[in-house]
Structure formats: structure tokens, C-alpha cells
Amino acid sequence: MTPETIQNLIEAGLPGAQVRVQGDDGVHFEATVVSEAFRGKLPLARHRMVYATLGELMGGAIHALALRTLTPEEANKAAQA
């Protein structure tokens, strides 16, 4: 599994999302996902939305995925901090 594959899957499942995925060992990854679809959703719901884009790969080919999920406004605030 590659970071690029995970990024493509998340982007396909959350159209318009900005996704950055990192991971060097092929099973442990970190992703930052910025999406308008997260507006009004709690962090757990946001994470479930991302996990849904990866389906059965979670817990299999992807052993661990650390997530940071933000709306565009939250991402802008974080960038200014």
C-alpha cells in the first residue's frame, strides 16, 4: 500500500477534498483531509467518512491510519496560527 493509493481512494470517496497522506512502512499512515463535507460534523463522524472511502483496506492492508480532518475554514485558521 502506498500513500498515493490511499490519497486517491480518499479523494474519490470525498470529491473536492484536499488530501495529504504520509507513511514510510506501507502499513502505518498519517492523513490530513480538508473537506467541505466535514462542516457541522463531529470528529468521529468525520473519521468514519474517511474510513468509508477505504472500506476493507482498513485493518488489512492499512494497519493504522492517523487522521486530521478539517473544514476549509479550520485549515485556514490552522495555517495562520
Side-chain angles (χ1 to χ4, degrees), residues 37-48:
F38 296 149
R39 185 176 308 285
K41 303 230 179 346
L42 295 173
L44 183 59
R46 294 176 181 193
H47 289 199
R48 286 180 178 157

Side-chain angles (χ1 to χ4, degrees), residues 7-80:
Q7 177 177 334
N8 291 336
L9 289 167
I10 295 170
E11 288 173 346
L14 292 171
Q18 297 175 328
V19 182
R20 190 180 84 238
V21 180
Q22 298 175 306
D24 295 330
D25 67 2
V27 292
H28 298 92
F29 300 93
E30 296 178 16
T32 299
V33 183
V34 179
S35 176
E36 185 65 37
F38 296 149
R39 185 176 308 285
K41 303 230 179 346
L42 295 173
L44 183 59
R46 294 176 181 193
H47 289 199
R48 286 180 178 157
M49 291 170 68
V50 175
Y51 293 147
T53 69
L54 302 171
E56 295 178 4
L57 295 173
M58 286 304 304
I62 303 170
H63 178 71
L65 177 64
L67 286 174
R68 184 169 186 219
T69 53
L70 305 164
T71 65
E73 292 77 16
E74 291 167 343
N76 285 337
K77 284 181 185 176
Q80 294 172 5

